[in-house]
Amino acid sequence: MAPQAIIAPSILSADFGALGAACSDTINHGADWLHVDIMDGHFVPNITFGAPVVTKIRSHVERPRTSLGKGTFDCHMMIAEPKKWVKDFQKAGCDMYCFHYEAAIDSTAAENPADETEKKTNPKELIQYIHDHDMLAGIAIKPETSVDVLWDILRNPTKSERPDMVLVMTVHPGFGGQKFMASELPKVSVLRQRYPELNIEVDGGLSEGTIDQAADAGANVIVAGSAVFGAKDPRDVISKLREAVEKRR
């Protein structure tokens, strides 16, 4: 059986003028996690916010009492140098540090923002490093990246070098409000077939109109931005997203 449904509204669609209240309200409306989109203007063209904002909103949402529990901050790191920021986001209150495969294969092993080194990192090393800093590790792939790049990482015999979650992007990362790309769902299906107990997240264009396709493919962690934050009744939307996943487990 697939893992339970996890609904993770993306705060990129929240009211930034009252972000703390928006975060706490969304958890109170039934959300499990908050999806926190971190963009650096390099890996993706857009810029959002950094660790200081995560620190501020963390005070509005109780820390999860269990691994993967309610209140998890799922930080989606759309950044060019993911290893450099692990320590800062751990201190800020991040629970799931989800980096991009594409960044991890082309970035340095520097451990602090001001550091420079010629040494390169890699996905397995980065996952281990995240775990060493008491966070869960996620790995994300863009639409143009084949799911095949993940097999060597997922079948790694060393558990601490394996991710706790895989994120399959169903839009091109960088901007909210894009159209859902159903073309990416075969990646989800093959992941679910090979790894029945894996947490598989989908992000981009998810709503009541597209959730059935994602749930049919096997996704259990659902990121929805405008569908939740733009809804007249966010609680109802969250409930319907959850129901769609749960009835397919």
Side-chain angles (χ1 to χ4, degrees), residues 13-246:
S13 297
D15 178 0
F16 281 19
L19 191 55
C23 290
S24 59
D25 287 348
T26 302
I27 292 294
N28 290 334
H29 288 148
D32 301 294
W33 296 0
L34 291 177
H35 186 80
V36 184
D37 287 305
I38 308 298
M39 307 182 194
D40 66 355
H42 296 282
F43 182 73
V44 292
N46 201 7
I47 297 173
T48 53
F49 39 75
V53 172
V54 176
T55 300
K56 290 295 185 181
I57 61 173
R58 181 78 272 178
S59 66
H60 291 263
V61 177
E62 185 179 351
R63 293 298 295 260
R65 297 179 182 179
T66 59
S67 180
L68 304 171
K70 192 175 183 71
T72 290
F73 275 18
D74 169 27
C75 293
H76 179 192
M77 308 302 295
M78 290 170 274
I79 61 176
E81 292 286 341
K83 191 170 184 180
K84 282 187 175 186
W85 295 97
V86 168
K87 294 177 182 178
D88 281 24
F89 277 84
Q90 189 275 333
K91 292 175 184 175
C94 171
D95 303 294
M96 171 78 75
Y97 191 95
C98 184
F99 64 91
H100 267 266
Y101 168 85
E102 301 87 358
I105 60 170
D106 193 35
S107 59
T108 72
E111 297 183 2
N112 296 287
D115 292 351
E116 294 184 10
T117 179
E118 296 285 325
K119 184 181 177 183
K120 296 290 187 180
T121 190
N122 61 70
K124 293 179 184 178
E125 177 186 285
L126 185 50
I127 290 166
Q128 178 70 65
Y129 187 72
I130 293 165
H131 285 152
D132 287 345
H133 285 80
D134 299 320
M135 292 185 289
L136 298 167
I139 187 168
I141 54 172
K142 294 180 178 182
E144 57 266 32
T145 301
S146 170
V147 71
D148 293 342
V149 302
L150 298 176
W151 303 140
D152 182 58
I153 299 165
L154 289 168
R155 64 175 174 245
N156 186 347
T158 304
K159 183 179 180 181
S160 59
E161 294 180 351
R162 295 198 303 265
D164 302 287
M165 183 185 76
V166 169
L167 165 55
V168 175
M169 292 298 299
T170 47
V171 296
H172 293 286
F175 294 93
Q178 298 180 61
K179 186 178 178 181
F180 178 72
M181 297 173 64
S183 59
E184 303 312 298
L185 294 180
K187 297 177 184 177
V188 176
S189 296
V190 70
L191 280 164
R192 179 59 67 215
Q193 289 165 10
R194 294 195 185 195
Y195 297 96
E197 298 181 357
L198 178 66
N199 283 299
I200 303 173
E201 182 174 60
V202 284
D203 176 11
L206 274 300
S207 66
E208 292 177 65
T210 55
I211 184 59
D212 285 340
Q213 297 175 70
D216 282 339
N220 73 295
V221 185
I222 309 299
V223 177
S226 55
V228 172
F229 285 101
K232 291 182 179 179
D233 188 348
R235 186 184 300 274
D236 182 60
V237 173
I238 291 168
S239 177
K240 288 176 178 175
L241 295 174
R242 186 186 312 283
E243 181 182 0
V245 175
E246 286 294 334

